[in-house]
Amino acid sequence: MHEGTMIGMRIGELSDRCGASPRSLRYYEQQGLIAPSRAANGYRQYGELTIVRVRNIRELLDSGLTVEDIRLSLEKGCLDRPLSTLPPCPDAVRIAGDRLASLDRRIAALQDLRERLAVQLAATRTALVREYAVPADS
């Protein structure tokens, strides 16, 4: 199955038109996010809809969603028009909320880890100053 009504755009043209590298496009294909057809010579061919889909994929990745999150949105038909023109997709909103909660948990864990490291570093610096008379700022 391929996206779009016009077939014949090769990977280089798609790359130029949507701003994604050919390597990224092949990755999106491997992940099931885009599906080109094949010409008789084996070259990938893409339709116009693929441009919209790739732009949406890039925007969602840049927003912090994962390929798995995006795949779930794709299954719900939420990627085939510019994101700004789509009505809110309840599943996509839930997925984004779940990803945000996951990021918040990771940030909290990293902040805790940073604080523990800062305490350890301060204690080590204090011990060095006492033992070797090393200036506290080194």
Side-chain angles (χ1 to χ4, degrees):
M1 177 195 321
H2 57 79
E3 289 98 31
T5 55
M6 184 189 107
I7 300 301
M9 183 178 9
R10 292 186 30 198
I11 198 165
E13 182 182 352
L14 178 62
S15 174
D16 290 343
R17 291 185 61 191
C18 66
S21 69
R23 183 177 181 182
S24 293
L25 296 171
R26 287 187 290 274
Y27 175 73
Y28 299 159
E29 180 184 350
Q30 289 172 342
Q31 297 302 310
L33 300 177
I34 61 174
S37 63
R38 294 285 180 163
N41 61 6
Y43 289 160
R44 293 169 173 85
Q45 293 184 320
Y46 300 90
E48 292 290 320
L49 178 59
T50 308
I51 297 168
V52 173
R53 186 175 286 184
V54 169
R55 287 178 179 159
N56 287 342
I57 290 166
R58 290 171 50 88
E59 183 177 337
L60 293 170
L61 288 171
D62 287 346
S63 297
L65 294 179
T66 66
V67 168
E68 293 77 23
D69 297 333
I70 295 168
R71 191 178 300 113
L72 292 173
S73 294
L74 176 66
E75 292 169 3
K76 303 296 182 179
C78 297
L79 295 179
D80 291 336
R81 292 193 322 218
L83 294 176
S84 62
T85 68
L86 290 172
C89 185
D91 288 326
V93 171
R94 181 191 52 75
I95 290 165
D98 291 348
R99 179 60 47 208
L100 183 59
S102 174
L103 288 170
D104 287 341
R105 287 188 301 274
R106 287 176 54 198
I107 289 168
L110 286 170
Q111 286 174 328
D112 181 55
L113 186 60
R114 185 206 177 281
E115 182 59 31
R116 286 185 279 148
L117 180 57
V119 167
Q120 180 63 41
L121 181 58
T124 301
R125 283 182 174 156
T126 300
L128 283 172
V129 168
R130 281 189 205 136
E131 187 167 337
Y132 299 106
V134 175
D137 62 352
S138 59

